[in-house]
Amino acid sequence: MKNLIRDYLASLREREELDAILPDMLSELGFTVISRPQRGTRQNGVDIAAVGNDNDERKLFLFSVKKGDLNRQEWDGTPQALRSSLDEIQDAYIRNRIPEELKSLKIVICLAFGGDVQEQVRELLTGYIAKNTTEQISFEEWNGDTLAGMILKGILREKVLPKNLRSNFRKAVAMVDEPDVSYQHFARLAHELHKVGSESDKARLRAVRQLNICLWILFVWARDVDNLEAPYRISELVLLSVWELLRPIIGINSRELKALDQALHQVIHLHLIIALTFIELKILPYSSIRYGVSLAINSQNSLDVNLALFDMLGRIGLTGVWLHWLGLQSNQENQENIRNRLLRLFHAGQELIRNNPGLRLPITDRQGTDIALFLQLWLVSEDNDSNPRVTSWLKEMAHGLKFSLLRREHYPSCSSDYRALAEHPRDRSDEYFQESTAASTLIPLIAAWLQALGQETEVKMLRELVRSELQHCTLQLWTPNAESETMMYVGGSNHGLALCDLPLDDGGPQLLATIAGACRTDTALKNLSPMLTGVWPVILVACRHHHLPIPPGFWIESLIPTTTSPDEMGSV
Amino acid sequence: MGLQSDPPGTHSEPTCEELTKLFMNGQLATEMAHRFNLNNPDALRKIQVCCAGLHNNGTLDLLQLIESSAMQRLAGSDFFMAMHFFCDILPELEATPERMMTCIEALVTRGGEDLAANQPNGAFRSWCQKDPNRARKVILAAHNGDELASRHVAFALEAIADIAEARKMAITYNDARRLAAITALGRIHDLDPASCAETLAAFSTLLAGGADDKLRANMLRSITEILTRNPVFASPDAVALVHRLVENGGDFTIHECSHMLWASRQTLSPDIVTGLLKKLIHLNPANKGTVNELDIGLQSLLEHGHEEAAISFVTELLALPDGSLELQEFDSFIRTLLDGPPERLGRIVVQWLLLGIPHLCKGLAEILQSDDMVGPPIHLSADQLDISPTAQLFLCRKAIGWFFLKPTTATSILVSVLRVCDAETAKEVQALLVEHLLLNYHGVREHLEALPSDDLAKSRVDQALEQHNIHFNAVRAIPPIKELQPSEHYRRIQQLHWSDQMRDAYNQPKNQSVLMSIVKRSVLLYGNSCRTFVKDSMTNMPRPVDIELHQLGVSFAVPRMEIIDPAGLQWILFNYKHEKLTS
């Protein structure tokens, strides 16, 4: 286990990656963290400041953090080098920045880095420490091995992470190249940590921190083997598990809630790091190549290509929505940066659609979630220039739907079982057709959006299609119900309210009005804890993760024309 | 006797006494079926002579083999073997016409639909020829209204070649005797044009008197036979009669039209061909016998200078809006077309693709086969492609739509267009080549690279290859994205699904194979050759037969779009297949 953690520490690529776990690690070891790292800024050489016991004496620990091994370049020669930081700490921080109440404490300056001190720097470092050590100021070297030991003694100590859970975690890391297996092991770990975490507020915070650090370790390992699938899926699971841990104490003003809120943001941040690393490094560079991503899926089966493409689109949508959410929490300057990044993501998604025509028709109804997530990204991007392209995509989807249903080939099935989809369509019999198209969330979704985009011809076409071919099909959408708050995050998908028999037959405006009316009178979505606390993308994560449709409450109001006549709305 | 236990060919033929004994024991019919375990024709002939002698001297009565149903009770091929033996003896047998006709009819009835079922009729004709009095008695009985005789009078008339009697009977009666007489007229040789003219005049008279479909068909068949024997008799009157006969005929007449196309192939004038084909356009696709005859007729037309008429007819027939006929039903016609001059095939390809009629194009796609499943190349000449640029592009899209699974065929058509089209059109053809053929099939690239440097399309093809290379290199530079790849679990499911499909694909044709129902199937667990032991028909001893085994397999290229976007591919191909050429 120690080797696993040491290797993880050595593989960290950014200083910020080590920053992200150190405060939690220190807290678990009994330190009181008084200053956390802030992205892009350093406080006179100090990344983290904490008060802790050293040989039964309270001391102030000032951390200067470096990634990987400490080599000559990292030690000296640049303003960011460790020596400069140590000088700054002594010359500026200790003189000016230490709070009054801590000034009496002895100071330990900690040189924290993920790897080791390289030979050519060893003498220089030893010399520097000998020269600058005083009665008041001492130096400690926290290399990868030391940090790994501390993690094992602290946040992942056997008492709080028993052998069987360690084993699950180790297997999750070892099988990171087999994402399904890795996910299963991690899911067991998350489940157990959730159980343990529910026992007390302290345990709750610890469980969240453990999930965070375990995800970090897994992510770094996965990054090394060039397969981010497991960490992406697990990051959703961790996010939902953390929310489930946090949910019961929402509204209770406690120290733990504040710490948990901080931990939640760390998990969201990590989820975004993983998602953006994957999307920006592995998808976006190739989205402009015709069929590029489709061919990179490297499968001989169209089902795999279709599933992977829509999954990708859903991830792009969700990541973009998170960026939008992050922008709402940020200052003006960051908002602009985030918006640019979000637009880049959205445009790349459009390129992906343009160059990978498999994205014009899903093979299973559940992919409506991915479509809705990408449309949600379009909504939050407020990119009206893209209106024609989005419209064209949805129109093509409607025509593809009609063509495939009439020919009874490649049409979306309401089954989501891979084996059933592999055989789909098994035959062209009426019986099989009716079974495979017994229900649809896709058609109301597309019809509603097309109506909102003014494409009445296509809406009419879908209406005729339903009349002629899909009389047996229950057109529906899904929205949470009262049970959803307890089930939604880690409980699975057996909850919520199906909005059935949506009146496409009465025309697009009536469809929109009916959905809007149903959403306005429904309070379940609005009462979900992420909605009440403003962290609403958590619901989208839950929907994506548990293969639930995106509730229309997220998009319907944006589709209703502001000039909707009272007559249209009155019948709801 | 020991005939059953001795190996065949190892003993002499039975004596007359032994034959009598076999008859008495009820074994003669069975022995006939087994040909007395003899292979020597002379020995068999001796038995036949002996049997006839025994019958004619009253020692035994061979017709009893039929009257007692001993012959008819023989199963399957035994019956036909025995009947064949019996028919060789039959002309020699003494019997009353009535008795003989009854036996003949019983044998024909037992023969059923088999092609050999009519053999006894031929034997009866020979029986009548042997003694003209027998024929005259049958004719007389027919005149007297005897139904059995009426059904056999055609053979009697034919046997004694009484053409005048046949004409008289045809004119006089209005029942089975008329049809029998007309049949006989077709079979009896006219000695001179005057005799033929007299027969045709008789037919004209009958036609003028109001002929139903069956009568017309019979007369047409007889004319076919007359003209086939004597092409010089194809007078303007004969041609006119054919036209009149065909004009208001039904299914029987249509069937005879199809028969005439190939039976009278040497004598058919363009005028007759036109008339026959005009009628045949109304054929009922459910009449498979007619379709088969028509197929041979069309093949014959292709081979005898009527190819335009044949091709136009097939075009018109398959283009019928509610037609259910498929091109593949005309397999002889197709074979001749494919084996014939490439120029002719190319002309048809252009004509049919430009017409865009699904039945024709689908038929073309199915008949253009090659061993490697990529389709044969079709080289279209500049003359054939002397059409507007819009039509050239339309042709290319049709070629892609219909020959998508035969990439070499589709590619060769696009290359043919690239040889002759203008620069603007060439750009669009190149785009089609890159987007649909080069993208989907690796083999197309090899095919195009192999074009000789002096090919007129070479530079344009090279440009298309360059466009493809740019895309190909961009795609190849993308590393495999592990995150997008299906899991092991999914791959296993796909493998299972694939093996199920392959097993079905293997078993389905095997279960439907006629061959598999008549051959023994052996499964070898080891080795690449085998030695098996078969009984020698001469010695009845096991004889070793060595067989070297070779691998037999089929491979095919799955178009890339079938994996990337199968629904989109179907949509594109559907549009290409069904678009109409706008003027």
Side-chain angles (χ1 to χ4, degrees):
Chain A
M1 187 80 172
K2 190 174 179 185
N3 287 344
L4 187 148
I5 297 169
R6 198 172 45 210
D7 284 352
Y8 143 71
L9 290 165
S11 300
L12 293 172
R13 290 183 187 168
E14 307 290 338
R15 180 179 61 83
E16 287 80 2
E17 293 181 357
L18 191 51
D19 285 348
I21 58 144
L22 267 179
D24 283 353
M25 189 196 83
L26 292 170
S27 296
E28 279 302 316
L29 286 169
F31 286 78
T32 303
V33 177
I34 57 170
S35 167
R36 284 177 168 271
Q38 287 175 9
R39 193 173 172 81
T41 60
R42 306 180 83 188
Q43 298 179 30
N44 299 120
V46 174
D47 292 308
I48 302 163
V51 175
N53 282 334
D54 182 29
N55 295 327
D56 295 332
E57 184 183 358
R58 277 188 85 216
K59 290 182 181 173
L60 175 62
F61 288 77
L62 303 176
F63 291 87
S64 188
V65 182
K66 296 285 169 201
K67 65 166 175 133
D69 286 350
L70 187 63
N71 56 24
R72 189 178 282 274
Q73 200 183 356
E74 291 280 330
W75 165 246
D76 201 1
T78 66
Q80 290 77 33
L82 183 58
R83 181 173 181 143
S84 306
S85 298
L86 297 180
D87 288 343
E88 276 181 44
I89 292 172
Q90 292 167 91
D91 298 344
Y93 192 94
I94 293 176
R95 285 172 197 270
N96 309 319
R97 303 290 297 271
I98 296 176
E100 201 58 41
E101 65 273 18
L102 303 177
K103 277 190 171 164
S104 60
L105 299 180
K106 284 187 176 174
I107 295 166
V108 181
I109 299 176
C110 283
L111 292 61
F113 41 89
D116 277 316
V117 179
Q118 286 190 353
E119 272 311 305
Q120 72 266 31
V121 184
R122 170 56 65 195
E123 278 185 23
L124 298 171
L125 178 64
T126 310
Y128 182 91
I129 290 173
K131 185 182 162 193
N132 291 285
T133 301
T134 64
E135 181 71 19
Q136 185 66 15
I137 301 172
S138 61
F139 291 84
E140 280 188 19
E141 180 189 321
W142 287 22
N143 59 18
D145 196 57
T146 315
L147 290 171
M150 286 177 162
I151 289 171
L152 278 176
K153 263 198 320 195
I155 194 163
L156 299 184
R157 65 186 181 276
E158 197 163 338
K159 194 177 169 191
V160 294
L161 194 71
K163 265 186 182 167
N164 60 330
L165 293 190
R166 284 184 176 202
S167 165
N168 279 327
F169 176 54
R170 268 201 309 269
K171 284 176 188 165
V173 174
M175 300 304 287
V176 78
D177 226 2
E178 285 294 335
D180 283 352
V181 184
S182 179
Y183 179 90
Q184 283 163 15
H185 287 298
F186 204 103
R188 271 182 226 129
L189 172 75
H191 179 71
E192 290 304 318
L193 286 179
H194 174 251
K195 266 204 307 198
V196 175
S198 305
E199 287 168 6
S200 69
D201 287 352
K202 202 174 168 188
R204 201 182 300 277
L205 182 59
R206 179 182 299 126
V208 171
R209 285 172 173 167
Q210 285 173 326
L211 284 168
N212 185 33
I213 197 165
C214 287
L215 178 58
W216 259 111
I217 295 172
L218 183 106
F219 165 54
V220 172
W221 270 82
R223 192 169 59 184
D224 273 5
V225 298
D226 193 33
N227 189 346
L228 297 178
E229 181 62 11
Y232 180 84
R233 282 157 60 183
I234 290 169
S235 73
E236 286 186 347
L237 174 76
V238 167
L239 187 47
L240 295 171
S241 301
V242 167
W243 188 265
E244 183 67 13
L245 280 163
L246 181 146
R247 194 171 61 78
I249 59 165
I250 288 173
I252 301 168
N253 200 5
S254 65
R255 253 178 59 189
E256 276 74 20
L257 180 62
K258 200 177 166 195
L260 272 170
D261 183 50
Q262 210 165 41
L264 170 73
H265 279 76
Q266 285 180 338
V267 171
I268 293 172
H269 186 63
L270 177 53
H271 170 67
L272 269 174
I273 287 175
I274 295 169
L276 285 167
T277 305
F278 170 55
I279 294 168
E280 290 181 344
L281 284 182
K282 297 208 165 189
I283 303 297
L284 301 203
Y286 312 117
S287 61
S288 58
I289 298 172
R290 188 89 174 135
Y291 311 124
V293 175
S294 300
L295 290 169
I297 292 166
N298 198 21
S299 169
Q300 295 305 306
N301 196 281
S302 62
L303 172 62
D304 296 330
V305 175
N306 191 281
L307 292 176
L309 284 176
F310 274 98
D311 191 52
M312 230 25 56
L313 198 68
R315 289 186 197 192
I316 289 173
L318 183 56
T319 307
V321 169
W322 270 118
L323 280 177
H324 166 74
W325 179 84
L326 211 58
L328 296 176
Q329 330 286 315
S330 304
N331 58 33
Q332 189 68 36
E333 188 190 348
N334 266 349
Q335 272 184 7
E336 195 55 34
N337 288 338
I338 288 173
R339 180 171 160 71
N340 289 339
R341 206 169 180 189
L342 180 153
L343 280 175
R344 199 152 55 87
L345 208 57
F346 174 60
H347 292 150
Q350 285 185 314
E351 282 292 285
L352 193 71
I353 292 169
R354 196 166 69 88
N355 289 307
N356 296 278
L359 281 169
R360 289 179 197 149
L361 187 67
I363 193 64
T364 163
D365 191 76
R366 81 160 195 235
Q367 288 165 314
T369 303
D370 300 315
I371 295 166
L373 281 172
F374 190 71
L375 291 170
Q376 198 70 39
L377 171 58
W378 181 44
L379 279 185
V380 299
S381 75
E382 296 175 351
D383 180 15
N384 292 330
D385 293 345
S386 293
N387 188 322
R389 292 175 78 175
V390 173
T391 305
S392 163
W393 176 46
L394 292 174
K395 279 168 72 175
E396 282 174 340
M397 203 176 290
H399 286 286
L401 196 62
K402 180 185 174 188
F403 180 71
S404 63
L405 284 165
L406 291 177
R407 287 175 67 92
R408 299 196 176 182
E409 270 183 335
H410 308 297
Y411 57 89
S413 162
C414 60
S415 169
S416 55
D417 174 62
Y418 185 85
R419 183 183 286 266
L421 292 174
E423 291 173 359
H424 176 71
R426 203 168 54 222
D427 56 53
R428 293 189 184 190
S429 66
D430 289 344
E431 191 187 358
Y432 177 79
F433 179 73
Q434 289 182 8
E435 184 189 317
S436 304
T437 54
S440 175
T441 61
L442 193 63
I443 293 174
L445 177 76
I446 297 173
W449 279 81
L450 281 170
Q451 178 64 35
L453 291 164
Q455 303 305 313
E456 286 181 5
T457 309
E458 275 69 25
V459 176
K460 198 175 161 195
M461 181 190 80
L462 287 175
R463 191 174 71 183
E464 293 304 319
L465 182 68
V466 170
R467 269 185 196 161
S468 64
E469 305 294 320
L470 299 171
Q471 279 294 315
H472 58 278
C473 176
T474 310
L475 301 183
Q476 59 196 288
L477 290 169
W478 179 89
T479 193
N481 65 3
E483 282 177 55
S484 299
E485 175 60 13
T486 53
M487 303 278 289
M488 184 130 192
Y489 315 107
V490 294
S493 57
N494 194 19
H495 59 91
L497 177 73
L499 303 171
C500 287
D501 297 320
L502 295 169
L504 179 57
D505 205 29
D506 298 335
Q510 188 59 49
L511 175 72
L512 283 182
T514 306
I515 298 169
C519 291
R520 281 172 195 155
T521 54
D522 173 51
T523 53
L525 176 65
K526 290 166 196 153
N527 287 334
L528 288 178
S529 51
M531 294 297 264
L532 295 172
T533 53
V535 198
W536 48 269
V538 168
I539 298 170
L540 303 181
V541 175
C543 289
R544 212 199 85 81
H545 196 76
H546 298 301
H547 301 144
L548 286 166
I550 302 300
F554 275 98
W555 45 264
I556 190 65
E557 289 303 331
S558 306
L559 306 195
I560 297 287
T562 46
T563 53
T564 303
S565 72
D567 288 348
E568 284 171 5
M569 303 300 294
S571 60
V572 180
Chain B
M1 286 261 308
L3 285 175
Q4 299 295 336
S5 55
D6 290 342
T10 58
H11 53 82
S12 56
E13 67 274 10
T15 62
C16 288
E17 288 72 29
E18 287 170 332
L19 286 170
T20 307
K21 200 172 170 189
L22 283 171
F23 178 81
M24 296 303 177
N25 293 340
Q27 293 176 299
L28 188 59
T30 309
E31 284 303 319
M32 283 180 177
H34 296 158
R35 304 180 80 79
F36 301 92
N37 280 341
L38 293 169
N39 292 317
N40 185 343
D42 290 337
L44 288 169
R45 185 65 205 145
K46 275 186 194 170
I47 297 172
Q48 286 167 347
V49 171
C50 189
C51 283
L54 290 169
H55 172 89
N56 290 341
N57 68 21
T59 309
L60 48 83
D61 184 355
L62 282 181
L63 292 185
Q64 272 189 14
L65 293 177
I66 297 155
E67 288 164 344
S68 66
S69 295
M71 190 84 89
Q72 293 93 309
R73 276 198 298 270
L74 292 173
S77 60
D78 276 1
F79 166 74
F80 287 101
M81 292 296 282
M83 183 186 79
H84 181 69
F85 189 88
F86 187 82
C87 285
D88 284 346
I89 308 172
L90 195 140
E92 310 297 332
L93 303 181
E94 292 293 343
T96 63
E98 187 185 0
R99 198 169 167 224
M100 186 57 85
M101 286 189 290
T102 306
C103 289
I104 292 295
E105 195 160 69
L107 287 177
V108 170
T109 305
R110 167 66 180 84
E113 297 293 315
D114 197 282
L115 284 174
N118 284 321
Q119 198 184 356
N121 289 331
F124 178 67
R125 188 173 51 233
S126 301
W127 183 78
C128 291
Q129 269 170 339
K130 190 87 182 168
D131 180 358
N133 278 331
R134 294 170 179 167
R136 288 193 193 97
K137 283 179 186 167
V138 174
I139 293 166
L140 184 62
H143 275 300
N144 291 335
D146 181 85
E147 285 189 8
L148 185 64
S150 299
R151 289 198 292 273
H152 290 81
V153 73
F155 308 109
L157 288 167
E158 189 188 349
I160 57 172
D162 193 343
I163 200 161
E165 181 64 32
R167 281 189 208 116
K168 190 174 125 194
M169 200 173 260
I171 296 292
T172 308
Y173 301 113
N174 190 14
D175 53 20
R177 288 169 291 187
R178 171 178 280 176
L179 297 179
I182 291 170
T183 303
L185 284 170
R187 292 176 181 169
I188 302 169
H189 290 215
D190 287 298
L191 295 175
D192 49 47
S195 168
C196 174
E198 214 172 316
T199 302
L200 295 180
F203 288 170
S204 288
T205 307
L206 290 175
L207 188 60
D212 65 5
D213 184 31
K214 234 176 183 171
L215 183 57
R216 282 168 188 269
N218 263 38
M219 289 192 281
L220 194 57
R221 170 62 70 104
S222 291
I223 293 173
T224 302
E225 292 183 7
I226 292 166
L227 296 183
T228 304
R229 276 196 308 274
N230 296 297
V232 291
F233 294 172
S235 62
D237 283 350
V239 173
L241 179 61
V242 168
H243 281 304
R244 277 188 287 131
L245 281 172
V246 163
E247 206 169 27
N248 292 315
D251 282 356
F252 288 112
T253 310
I254 288 174
H255 181 84
E256 289 310 322
C257 289
S258 65
H259 176 79
M260 191 175 195
L261 278 182
W262 65 267
S264 297
R265 54 190 170 276
Q266 306 288 358
T267 58
L268 289 180
S269 64
D271 192 18
I272 295 186
V273 169
T274 306
L276 295 176
L277 292 178
K278 193 175 163 191
K279 187 72 198 173
L280 277 163
I281 206 76
H282 303 292
L283 83 90
N284 179 356
N287 295 336
K288 293 301 171 197
T290 308
V291 174
N292 289 339
E293 294 259 353
L294 175 60
D295 173 36
I296 302 167
L298 290 168
Q299 178 192 27
S300 173
L301 291 180
L302 281 183
E303 289 170 342
H304 292 88
H306 301 286
E307 63 177 50
E308 277 310 320
I311 293 165
S312 300
F313 171 77
V314 173
T315 307
E316 190 184 352
L317 183 69
L318 296 186
L320 289 173
D322 53 350
S324 59
L325 274 174
E326 303 287 345
L327 183 61
Q328 291 88 313
E329 292 184 70
F330 302 109
D331 53 347
S332 307
F333 169 76
I334 291 165
R335 211 171 38 248
T336 310
L337 209 57
L338 295 175
D339 294 344
E343 190 277 331
R344 181 172 68 191
L345 181 61
R347 194 155 31 91
I348 291 174
V349 168
V350 173
Q351 184 189 349
W352 288 4
L353 288 183
L354 287 180
L355 277 172
I357 293 161
H359 253 69
L360 289 171
C361 299
K362 182 167 173 268
L364 260 185
E366 283 171 12
I367 65 168
L368 291 172
Q369 302 284 353
S370 64
D371 293 342
D372 50 8
M373 301 182 82
V374 293
I378 305 273
H379 298 289
L380 306 178
S381 66
D383 285 348
Q384 289 162 351
L385 292 170
D386 187 15
I387 48 181
S388 70
T390 309
Q392 286 173 339
L393 278 170
F394 178 82
L395 183 78
C396 290
R397 289 194 295 271
K398 284 285 173 198
I400 291 170
W402 287 107
F403 305 147
F404 186 72
L405 295 176
K406 295 183 165 44
T408 300
T409 308
T411 304
S412 64
I413 292 174
L414 267 66
V415 170
S416 297
V417 173
L418 280 178
R419 286 192 189 105
V420 299
C421 67
D422 60 40
E424 277 304 301
T425 312
K427 277 184 195 164
E428 294 191 49
V429 177
Q430 283 167 333
L432 290 172
L433 196 58
V434 173
E435 177 74 7
H436 297 304
L437 297 170
L438 278 164
L439 173 79
N440 279 294
Y441 298 101
H442 185 68
V444 168
R445 181 196 177 89
E446 291 166 5
H447 177 78
L448 292 174
E449 282 173 345
L451 276 185
S453 56
D454 58 348
D455 192 297
L456 290 174
K458 183 66 179 169
S459 66
R460 286 171 170 179
V461 164
D462 285 348
Q463 285 166 6
L465 283 170
E466 185 52 32
Q467 284 175 34
H468 173 65
N469 281 347
I470 291 168
H471 177 250
F472 184 67
N473 290 336
V475 168
R476 211 166 42 173
I478 304 175
I481 304 175
K482 284 186 187 178
E483 290 83 349
L484 303 182
Q485 291 170 7
S487 66
E488 258 322 294
H489 177 58
Y490 284 2
R491 284 189 198 275
R492 260 203 305 278
I493 290 174
Q494 288 292 359
Q495 272 168 4
L496 285 173
H497 180 52
W498 179 249
S499 7
D500 285 350
Q501 282 183 318
M502 287 301 104
R503 198 181 48 232
D504 289 348
Y506 175 74
N507 284 335
Q508 215 173 329
K510 197 181 79 181
N511 295 339
Q512 290 168 359
S513 167
V514 178
L515 191 67
M516 291 304 287
S517 66
I518 57 173
V519 297
K520 179 175 172 253
R521 178 169 175 263
S522 301
V523 176
L524 306 187
L525 296 176
Y526 308 101
N528 61 2
S529 61
C530 82
R531 176 166 299 162
T532 186
F533 298 91
V534 293
K535 266 194 176 177
D536 192 301
S537 61
M538 300 294 283
T539 63
N540 207 26
M541 298 297 287
R543 179 167 55 87
V545 176
D546 285 354
I547 302 171
E548 289 294 323
L549 302 178
H550 299 279
Q551 283 193 345
L552 182 66
V554 175
S555 67
F556 57 93
V558 176
R560 245 183 224 122
M561 287 302 285
E562 193 59 52
I563 296 164
I564 296 173
D565 179 25
L569 176 65
Q570 291 303 324
W571 173 245
I572 288 169
L573 296 182
F574 179 85
N575 281 313
Y576 283 0
K577 282 177 182 177
H578 292 91
E579 73 170 313
K580 299 266 185 262
L581 181 59
T582 47
S583 53

